[in-house]
Amino acid sequence: MTDLILTPNINRADDFYAELLAAHEGLSKDDSDALNARLVLVLANHIGDREVLSQALKAAEK
Amino acid sequence: MNKIFEVPLYPYERSPDQDAAAPVRHPVVIIGAGPIGLGMGIDLAQQGVKVVIVDDNDKVSFGSRAICFAKRPLEILDRLGCGQPMVDKGVEWDVGKVFFDDREVYKFELLPEKGHQRPAFINLQQYYFEEYLVNRVREMEAEGAPIEIRGGNKVAAIGTHPDHATLEIDTPEGSYNIEADWLVACDGAGSPTRQMLGLDFVGRVFEDNFLIADVIMEADFPSERWFWFDPPFNRGQSALLHKQPDGVWRIDLQLGWDIDKDEEKKPENVIPRLKAMLGDDVEFELEWVSIYTFQCRRMEKFRHGRVLFAGDAAHQVSPFGARGANSGLQDTDNLGWKLKLVIDGKADETLLDSYDIERIHGADENILNSTRSTDFITPKSEMSRLLRDSVLDLAEHYEFARPLVNSGRLSVPCTYDGSPLNSADALDGPIKTRPGSPCPDVPLGDEFLLPKLGNKFILLTIDADAPDVIEEDGVEVTRLALSVKDDRTGALKERYLGHASSAVYLIRPDQHVAARRPSFDDNLFRAAIRRATGKE
Ligand SMILES: Cc1cc2nc3c(=O)[nH]c(=O)nc-3n(C[C@H](O)[C@H](O)[C@H](O)COP(=O)(O)OP(=O)(O)OC[C@H]3O[C@@H](n4cnc5c(N)ncnc54)[C@H](O)[C@@H]3O)c2cc1C
């Protein structure tokens, strides 16, 4: 069983953050929300591990 | 009088019980001649138990209601002697399509697994379903089976006692009383029995209304289940189109919460909605229209001493997933053999507590599935709608999102994991046939396994020795010997052996696995038989 990674794990973190913002640029609030929802689903599927997903939900809840 | 649901099939007739000096005692009385009461009656009468079915009505279900019947109930109906007419009349289907807005987002097939005698689903109007059950009752009566339906008999009061129940029954010719050693209440979601006994029925009401219409039309839509989320013709809501026999089509349209039900039901309001969906040039005729609010709820216990509840009386689900009648028939399948053993004195009354445990497990599984489908179809918050729509958007492009789309998880039988009747799994076999599982079918040459298992306790041996018959404390178990040598399709090995090279299964009369081991052992199997009949 793997644990949710809560230590820095993204290479070139600033680039990723910029890419995330860029994806939302020019979108209405509704379209942005929809993008986020799709992104959550795509990432969740990539992770797959139900235990990690539950831990991620808990980590995000607080 | 042309529709079957307008014809009295079991009109009121005076019974000698009405002229008896003292209330007549019956071994089993069933309240309700809906699909579940009829199924229960046939099951018991086939085993030689004398049953009386009372119903305040004298006709089959008005309009269609249930239309989808799953493989498992068809297998049960085969054992009740009326699976074939259902399959002959029903429309077989195995493809479903999901639409979002004006686009088809994906298509699914229901039973990719081959080698089952019965199809994954048929569509058949509930009135036909009930008619064929009534026909079966008539056929059994003609053969002298101890079964009787009393139409126009409305149960007005019930008294409960430690070893029987009393019933006061109203008829067009006044009321009379009878007694029953066992009373099975199959009197539907509004169950008067439940109310008369002051019992609970708790759960959730979904704040939404659905217009359910059966229309007769000449249309060349295929025999597929089409489900729409947010279609142009019913904005913000859902819709369903499904084929039934005789050119009848089921249409469900979600309407929302704040509506005037009586107004919406009027043909002048229904017809424009249907035209918007079907197109202006499609000619159709309305057979039946109704508006439903769906609920998911169940009784806390299905057994109350000598009174047993089955079908909608015990549990109610929203119809997404076709679990109502399908699961009710599994109730009767679970109860029938147990009640027979108890009536014959071959098992203690406490065996019936396992009915409670196993079928509550089934009801909870159905309620969970129906609730989740309903939550997906009718999102309750802005975010749940957004996530739902995102799933649908992604499903159009990526396979991964398709399993998340939930337009109804169609009825499959439950496995009685943790049932007190199961013996510990002692075979390195497939998970799907672990103790508690419903037996999956297997082709055997030109025949199939399930009809060979029948309605009795079976010792299924696969390349293993065992006696032809074992009797343990009044319970007889007959051997069915099979070999992988005859397993041309490999399904027997895949479904019953897995990594094992031989196996012995103890199978209950409702075709659920009670125990399994690699070889026969007299002591251990006798213990398993006692356990499966509530004696250990
Ligand atoms: C729109 C809709 C679609 C559905 N689709 C499906 C589907 O596709 N598949 C599926 O499996 N299920 C479906 N269902 C559910 C299915 O219709 C029910 O689960 C099923 O009818 C339950 O059968 P029952 O015998 O328990 O109860 P009922 O069919 O309700 O029968 C109860 C009987 O008891 C009798 N009765 C009541 N009170 C008394 C009394 N006091 N004295 C004597 N008799 C009495 C009534 O006259 C009636 O005949 C659907 C339901 C609806 C509403």
Side-chain angles (χ1 to χ4, degrees), chain B residues 340-357:
Chain B
K340 165 75 175 165
L341 284 176
V342 171
I343 289 172
D344 288 352
K346 291 180 177 172
D348 191 78
E349 233 183 275
T350 52
L351 174 60
L352 299 173
D353 292 331
S354 70
Y355 167 69
D356 220 61
I357 295 168

Side-chain angles (χ1 to χ4, degrees), chain B residues 31 158 185-197 199 201 297 299 309-310 312-314:
Chain B
I31 308 178
I158 293 173
C186 307
D187 48 356
S191 177
T193 306
R194 210 177 51 222
Q195 288 169 18
M196 286 184 259
L197 298 188
L199 298 170
F201 199 44
R297 44 185 188 164
M299 296 179 71
F309 289 83
D312 278 14

Side-chain angles (χ1 to χ4, degrees), chain B residues 105-106 394-406 409:
Chain B
V105 293
Y106 84 109
L394 290 166
E396 188 178 357
H397 305 287
Y398 306 109
E399 212 183 309
F400 88 82
R402 291 172 195 164
L404 298 173
V405 175
N406 192 343
R409 298 274 180 249

Side-chain angles (χ1 to χ4, degrees), chain B residues 32 35-36 55-56 65-68 126 155 187 192 292 312 324-326:
Chain B
I36 310 312
D55 197 294
D56 60 347
R65 296 208 285 161
I67 60 161
C68 294
Q126 184 163 336
V155 176
D187 48 356
Y292 285 94
D312 278 14
N326 283 314

Side-chain angles (χ1 to χ4, degrees), chain B residues 172-468:
Chain B
E173 298 180 306
S175 71
Y176 70 106
N177 294 302
I178 50 172
E179 295 178 351
D181 289 338
W182 296 97
L183 186 62
V184 190
C186 307
D187 48 356
S191 177
T193 306
R194 210 177 51 222
Q195 288 169 18
M196 286 184 259
L197 298 188
L199 298 170
D200 54 65
F201 199 44
V202 282
R204 221 175 118 186
V205 178
F206 295 97
E207 294 198 346
D208 218 311
N209 292 288
F210 286 81
L211 175 80
I212 314 287
D214 280 343
V215 306
I216 305 168
M217 62 179 174
E218 292 288 330
D220 46 13
F221 304 113
S223 310
E224 299 172 346
R225 178 185 194 263
W226 287 7
F227 197 98
W228 286 264
F229 292 96
D230 194 14
F233 56 83
N234 197 25
R235 267 297 166 220
Q237 313 284 8
S238 66
L240 172 92
L241 176 72
H242 218 170
K243 188 181 187 173
Q244 305 173 59
D246 305 339
V248 176
W249 297 77
R250 164 62 52 87
I251 293 172
D252 290 8
L253 291 170
Q254 185 189 353
L255 298 180
W257 186 230
D258 289 318
I259 59 154
D260 180 339
K261 287 195 187 191
D262 291 327
E263 256 325 281
E264 288 291 348
K265 238 191 301 199
K266 290 183 181 159
E268 63 260 39
N269 291 319
V270 172
I271 287 167
R273 284 186 179 280
L274 297 179
K275 277 193 186 295
M277 173 172 181
L278 301 168
D280 267 333
D281 43 343
V282 174
E283 298 262 341
F284 61 85
E285 191 191 314
L286 281 179
E287 178 174 80
W288 171 73
V289 178
S290 192
I291 291 182
Y292 285 94
T293 300
F294 296 131
Q295 341 218 347
C296 282
R297 44 185 188 164
R298 72 157 166 89
M299 296 179 71
E300 199 187 323
K301 286 172 66 211
F302 297 172
R303 177 181 179 211
H304 290 267
R306 291 283 169 139
V307 186
L308 297 141
F309 289 83
D312 278 14
H315 45 75
Q316 202 186 359
V317 291
S318 69
F320 305 110
R323 286 165 186 266
N326 283 314
S327 70
L329 219 49
Q330 290 163 44
D331 292 345
T332 65
D333 199 37
N334 189 289
L335 185 53
W337 64 273
K338 295 177 181 173
L339 201 49
K340 165 75 175 165
L341 284 176
V342 171
I343 289 172
D344 288 352
K346 291 180 177 172
D348 191 78
E349 233 183 275
T350 52
L351 174 60
L352 299 173
D353 292 331
S354 70
Y355 167 69
D356 220 61
I357 295 168
E358 293 183 336
R359 292 315 299 161
I360 282 177
H361 182 75
D364 283 348
E365 194 171 294
N366 286 320
I367 287 172
L368 181 73
N369 278 291
S370 299
T371 301
R372 287 176 171 175
S373 303
T374 312
D375 283 341
F376 192 89
I377 292 164
T378 64
K380 299 295 172 304
S381 70
E382 224 178 294
M383 190 45 70
S384 60
R385 175 174 296 270
L386 181 63
L387 283 167
R388 199 274 309 268
D389 289 353
S390 303
V391 165
L392 290 167
D393 271 331
L394 290 166
E396 188 178 357
H397 305 287
Y398 306 109
E399 212 183 309
F400 88 82
R402 291 172 195 164
L404 298 173
V405 175
N406 192 343
S407 67
R409 298 274 180 249
L410 297 166
S411 177
V412 285
C414 83
T415 296
Y416 301 133
D417 281 321
S419 164
L421 306 191
N422 296 348
S423 296
D425 194 1
L427 184 80
D428 182 19
I431 183 102
K432 66 176 135 195
T433 39
R434 67 188 182 277
S437 309
C439 287
D441 210 354
V442 166
L444 299 172
D446 299 334
E447 297 174 302
F448 284 88
L449 173 64
L450 295 187
K452 288 183 184 288
L453 295 177
N455 275 327
K456 295 193 297 250
F457 270 104
I458 294 282
L459 196 66
L460 172 69
T461 60
I462 305 170
D463 296 317
D465 275 335
D468 288 336

